Amino acid sequence: MGSTRSIELLPGTLDLLILKTLAAGPEHGYGIAQRLKLLSDEVLQVGESSLYPALQRLLLKGWAKADWGASENNRRARYYTLTAAGKKRLAAERAEFERLVVAIQRVLQMA
């Protein structure tokens, strides 16, 4: 298992990760945070103070929509869904991020 120390995300990366999570299907905020934590081997631990403003940003930009529903434990929860515009944005942000990663790797591999 990886280190339990969380890593600070690059600006804009949280939006990308949320969009990617929502591409798998509707999810409530806590579920998004838990999925990111699980898939990252606990490296990405997103707190409410970062997650909910990011979700609100995605709603305002039209990249996600939200509807109320019942959670697994039958509590009222807001479920977020990726919109068509969100799918386009995810593809664009993913390509941009992958380009950035390749550039950073090139610099780090210099002798």
Side-chain angles (χ1 to χ4, degrees), residues 48-64:
E48 290 181 12
S49 62
S50 299
L51 179 64
Y52 290 103
L55 286 167
Q56 186 62 28
R57 211 171 30 250
L58 298 179
L59 291 172
L60 291 172
K61 291 181 178 182
W63 299 339

Side-chain angles (χ1 to χ4, degrees), residues 2 7 13-15 36 56 59 61 70 85 89 91 94 98:
I7 296 175
T13 307
L14 181 56
D15 290 1
L36 291 173
Q56 186 62 28
L59 291 172
K61 291 181 178 182
R89 184 63 188 178
R94 186 173 183 167
E98 288 172 356

